[in-house]
Amino acid sequence: MQMNYKSLILFFSIITATASAQDWRNGYSFFNEFMSLPTTTGGGTTIYQTVSGTGATNTNPAMTNANQAGLIRSTTGTTATGRCAVTSSANCVALGSGGWTYEVDIDAISALSDATQGYALLVGFFDTYTAANQVDGVYFLYDSLGVSTSSASSDRWQCVTVSNSSRTFFTTADLVATTGAKLRIEINSDGTQADFYINDVSARAATATIPTGVSRAMGFGWLLIKSAGLTARTVDFDYIEIDHN
């Protein structure tokens, strides 16, 4: 019995040391397959949706392949400034103390943006859910009309870092496709570098205008916002995943 007691003490000592080293209380992990829709109010452990304009909405459409466990469709609606977003709160991520990773799989885009039916799509970490311009953020941007201040007019993905409204845009070699893309952002522990990946291929290693500290806090998710025309545009998302350590 004495040997068993000592073995038990040793076992719990190892477990305690391991848990202390990892310190899970300071980490965060979130994954959503969108088996059901986010609500407009959200909650302490989930994300929520916001919409504006006639017909702007988020829905659960029929899945497009047998390997999907869920799908969410964001729609701009039929007004010239219609928008929809699926996000966390706008001030829950502070960079510079532990690494952050954001990943989302875009399953399909109904049509590309053009001069008559334009829109912007932001995907990643950002803090303004009602307009294309961000005060703080690290995100992918599709903005073919260049409505976001200082962004390029391009049908390619842009990698954006912005701190206190000082913005850095980088246009990638990757064209935006109606078939979608898997987008991932990895930010190092001290917030000095943000690595952008498109379909698991490195697109940009950014080091300028990365927002750090609690005064530059932001949230995560996506924003789809119309900039021209009255025809609805939709984007289908398969999943979203966030990790902090």
Side-chain angles (χ1 to χ4, degrees), residues 43-110:
T45 59
T46 188
I47 54 180
Y48 66 102
Q49 61 166 307
T50 56
V51 298
S52 177
T54 302
T57 187
N58 294 287
T59 60
N60 280 129
M63 293 181 293
T64 56
N65 64 70
N67 291 325
Q68 291 172 325
L71 201 65
I72 187 169
R73 175 169 294 165
S74 292
T75 306
T76 62
T78 55
T79 61
T81 58
R83 57 177 168 81
C84 55
V86 174
T87 60
S88 68
S89 68
N91 58 358
C92 65
V93 175
L95 304 180
S97 181
W100 284 87
T101 300
Y102 172 104
E103 182 173 297
V104 70
D105 184 47
I106 298 176
D107 187 69
I109 298 173
S110 62

Side-chain angles (χ1 to χ4, degrees), residues 133-137 149 161-168 209 216:
N133 278 338
Q134 301 298 312
V135 178
D136 296 292
T149 303
T161 55
V162 50
S163 179
N164 198 21
S165 297
S166 178
R167 302 180 179 93
T168 301
T209 60
R216 304 264 61 91

Side-chain angles (χ1 to χ4, degrees), residues 7-220:
S7 298
L8 189 61
I9 291 294
L10 177 60
F11 172 76
F12 279 110
S13 296
I14 294 172
I15 293 297
T16 301
T18 302
S20 177
Q22 293 172 328
D23 199 1
W24 294 112
R25 293 170 300 175
N26 291 332
Y28 173 74
S29 183
F30 177 81
F31 182 81
N32 196 326
E33 278 276 13
F34 302 116
M35 304 288 282
S36 60
L37 286 173
T39 68
T40 57
T41 56
T45 59
T46 188
I47 54 180
Y48 66 102
Q49 61 166 307
T50 56
V51 298
S52 177
T54 302
T57 187
N58 294 287
T59 60
N60 280 129
M63 293 181 293
T64 56
N65 64 70
N67 291 325
Q68 291 172 325
L71 201 65
I72 187 169
R73 175 169 294 165
S74 292
T75 306
T76 62
T78 55
T79 61
T81 58
R83 57 177 168 81
C84 55
V86 174
T87 60
S88 68
S89 68
N91 58 358
C92 65
V93 175
L95 304 180
S97 181
W100 284 87
T101 300
Y102 172 104
E103 182 173 297
V104 70
D105 184 47
I106 298 176
D107 187 69
I109 298 173
S110 62
L112 296 182
S113 178
D114 59 38
T116 58
Q117 300 297 333
Y119 62 89
L121 173 62
L122 292 81
V123 179
F125 300 98
F126 54 99
D127 64 355
T128 303
Y129 301 160
T130 58
N133 278 338
Q134 301 298 312
V135 178
D136 296 292
V138 180
Y139 55 93
F140 285 96
L141 173 67
Y142 173 43
D143 181 18
S144 69
L145 300 186
V147 297
S148 184
T149 303
S150 300
S151 102
S153 299
S154 175
D155 277 326
R156 300 179 186 275
W157 288 109
Q158 296 182 73
C159 304
V160 186
T161 55
V162 50
S163 179
N164 198 21
S165 297
S166 178
R167 302 180 179 93
T168 301
F169 294 86
F170 176 80
T171 303
T172 75
D174 297 85
L175 287 165
V176 177
T178 55
T179 52
K182 183 170 74 172
L183 305 177
R184 188 169 79 253
I185 302 169
E186 297 178 359
I187 303 171
N188 66 359
S189 60
D190 55 3
T192 57
Q193 181 166 316
D195 292 293
F196 294 79
Y197 296 86
I198 301 174
N199 294 325
D200 296 321
V201 177
S202 177
R204 173 67 168 170
T207 58
T209 60
I210 298 175
T212 57
V214 294
S215 64
R216 304 264 61 91
M218 52 198 166
F220 61 81

